[in-house]
Amino acid sequence: QVQLVESGGGLVQAGWSLRLTCAAYGNINSFVAIAWYRQAPGKQRELVATITRGGSTTYADSAKDRFTISRDNIQNTVYLQMNSLRPDDAAVYYCSEYPHLGTWGQGTQVSISS
């Protein structure tokens, strides 16, 4: 079973950028698609962006024009470049196969100071 591990979160000011990394311990191409999700305190987990094995992408409305999902199949890694961060982007971010199956990883915390 391929394990996905998130990293790259942190505390940044509103308007700044962060790049999150989802490292696959195994062949990331075993997944048809990979997604980034996020969960803010008191809210349901929501889908942020997806990328297929072939590189096709989709974004939540809140992420369009600010976030970019990409993948490096050689490095077995998926990235989420987040620009122009807003306070409402603060959440724990998770990567997962898409659609999600099984358990969630630990995620990576993104905090935004205004």
Side-chain angles (χ1 to χ4, degrees), residues 19-92:
R19 188 176 78 161
L20 305 183
T21 298
C22 174
Y25 289 83
N27 185 358
I28 200 167
N29 288 314
S30 65
F31 301 118
V32 173
I34 299 287
W36 282 98
Y37 295 81
R38 68 185 182 187
Q39 187 168 22
K43 294 187 177 181
Q44 289 190 329
R45 202 181 317 252
E46 62 176 352
L47 179 65
V48 176
T50 68
I51 187 165
T52 67
R53 188 182 289 151
S56 297
T57 59
T58 65
Y59 296 93
D61 287 344
S62 60
K64 285 178 182 175
D65 301 323
R66 298 188 302 125
F67 294 4
T68 302
I69 189 171
S70 62
R71 64 190 291 158
D72 184 332
N73 291 330
I74 296 175
Q75 297 294 327
N76 282 315
T77 303
V78 170
Y79 302 100
L80 186 68
Q81 177 68 42
M82 305 187 295
N83 300 327
S84 302
L85 284 163
R86 308 184 304 220
D88 61 358
D89 292 318
V92 179

